[in-house]
Amino acid sequence: MAIHIQSRGLRGLTRFLLNSSKLSYTRICSYYHQQQILKREEDNDLSPNLSPMEALHEKVMRGELVVDNHQNQVMQSLEKVYSDIKNYQPAELSVFDKWFGKEKKITAPKGLYLYGAVGGGKTMLMDIFYNCCQIDGKRRVHFNAFMQDVHARIHEVKKHVVRDHTSTKPQPFDPIRPVARSISNQSWLICFDEFQVTDIGDAMILKRLFTELFNNGVIVVATSNRAPDDLYKNGLQRSNFVPFIQVLKDHCNVLSLTSGIDYRQRTSPGKEQNFFVKTECNANAEMDKIFKFLCSMENDIIRPRTLSIMGRNVQFNKTCGQVLDCTFAELCERALGTSDYLQLSQAFHTIFIRDIPQLSLKKKSEARRFIMLIDTLYDHRVRIVVSSDAPLKSMFVADDAPSDVGDDARMLMDDLGISKGSENASANIFTGHEEMFAFDRTISRLSEMQSAEYWEMWEKQR
């Protein structure tokens, strides 16, 4: 499909594909994400052919970054990965091997798993490394988006399995191997941002999936807020997940970035305010002014809009071109998930989120969706204007957990046969501990999303 990105704009092209193409939603989302990364590389004005360490030093010399010895140590490890893969090329299976399903293990250089507190620069360092790797077959992706793609591929593979309906014997089929092969044929260097495991469906397939990827010669570089041993901590049926941790350690060196500094909260706020506390001002009036100004730059009228997402219609009452004006209830009190927020990030460049309540463990589902929403919007550099009942650092209260699980959680426990007091009864899905942990990241990202630098990013990638 020969469409020039420059003529439509990256987001405009994605909307065109979503509205007119027969390509699957997931493939279009994947295409958008890859093109977005290409735009980031085109906009990167570093000197060409630098190594990761040289690129970091150049940014420091320009005054874009400050000297940080912790970051320098991390970059030395990324520099080693960079050197190790310079002359590496995973060998493909022969036609004979593929035909007979022969497994061929490939010895690949070790990747890197980088973890640490929020705002320390993990993603920035990985992006410098990624941009320095002048190779084909690389992919940079948010881990949630990657797993969405994996589940979509599994669904596609299962649709094309031919079964003998005349046989009464079990016909086991594991789609993981062909899915892993299709992924590794496209990318042998995969950089994951925000490697986190909260979904039991993801947790149950990760060992098989990554074992196949590593056997195919894939090299993984990942950032995370959690150490490998803490992944899926207190997760439902975690004992089935634990073997994956050793697989990850066998193929990635593990390093911690612990500077104790959150650089996101050190960013200078923009000249124009975009976070309004309702007790401190007339938040709705202030947001209405910004909305009116942004609408004046759109070639559209203010109107409701319905988005078709994975076969479902999701309606929003107030949009204008690429600007969405909605409430916290519309975004986080409805049954929306990652795929919904991903399409919002492609349809709109600015989203107004009104009336965010002070969140707590009494609102686990809403808090979980809000975390997911901010992660997705941040990863795609979508601008936000918000009004909140509480100041930024007080948006989440962690000390008023309900003494008992809610009705929904109790029903799930009954369905799974989990008794009160058992090991699985303390899983994160029931306790909300994962939300408490993840909200630090959300606060950090919301801080950066108020900065002038963040707002200008959208103009650069448009």
Side-chain angles (χ1 to χ4, degrees), residues 309-320:
I309 305 174
M310 306 288 280
R312 297 177 295 107
N313 289 331
V314 181
Q315 185 170 0
F316 294 93
N317 295 324
K318 190 176 181 182
T319 72
C320 182

Side-chain angles (χ1 to χ4, degrees), residues 25-26 29 144 148 308-310 312 336-346 372 376:
Y25 165 77
T26 302
C29 290
N144 280 344
Q148 287 273 322
S308 179
I309 305 174
M310 306 288 280
R312 297 177 295 107
L336 302 183
T338 302
S339 58
D340 304 291
Y341 299 143
L342 184 60
Q343 183 151 344
L344 289 180
S345 73
Q346 293 157 7
M372 195 185 308
T376 306

Side-chain angles (χ1 to χ4, degrees), residues 175-233:
I176 298 298
R177 178 171 292 181
V179 166
R181 172 54 60 186
S182 69
I183 292 171
S184 54
N185 281 345
Q186 294 171 353
S187 313
W188 57 263
L189 171 64
I190 306 181
C191 294
F192 293 110
D193 190 29
E194 295 298 343
F195 199 107
Q196 56 182 333
V197 186
T198 58
D199 182 84
I200 186 173
D202 296 346
M204 295 303 103
I205 67 172
L206 280 178
K207 179 180 182 295
R208 286 157 37 229
L209 174 65
F210 274 76
T211 296
E212 292 292 336
L213 290 176
F214 289 135
N215 285 346
N216 293 339
V218 169
I219 298 167
V220 166
V221 173
T223 69
S224 178
N225 294 145
R226 288 194 182 275
D229 289 332
D230 289 336
L231 287 171
Y232 199 52
K233 189 175 183 180

Side-chain angles (χ1 to χ4, degrees), residues 361-374:
L361 292 180
K362 293 177 181 177
K363 298 178 179 289
K364 287 197 295 291
S365 296
E366 294 89 340
R368 188 177 295 129
R369 292 191 191 103
F370 185 65
I371 291 167
M372 195 185 308
L373 170 68
I374 297 303

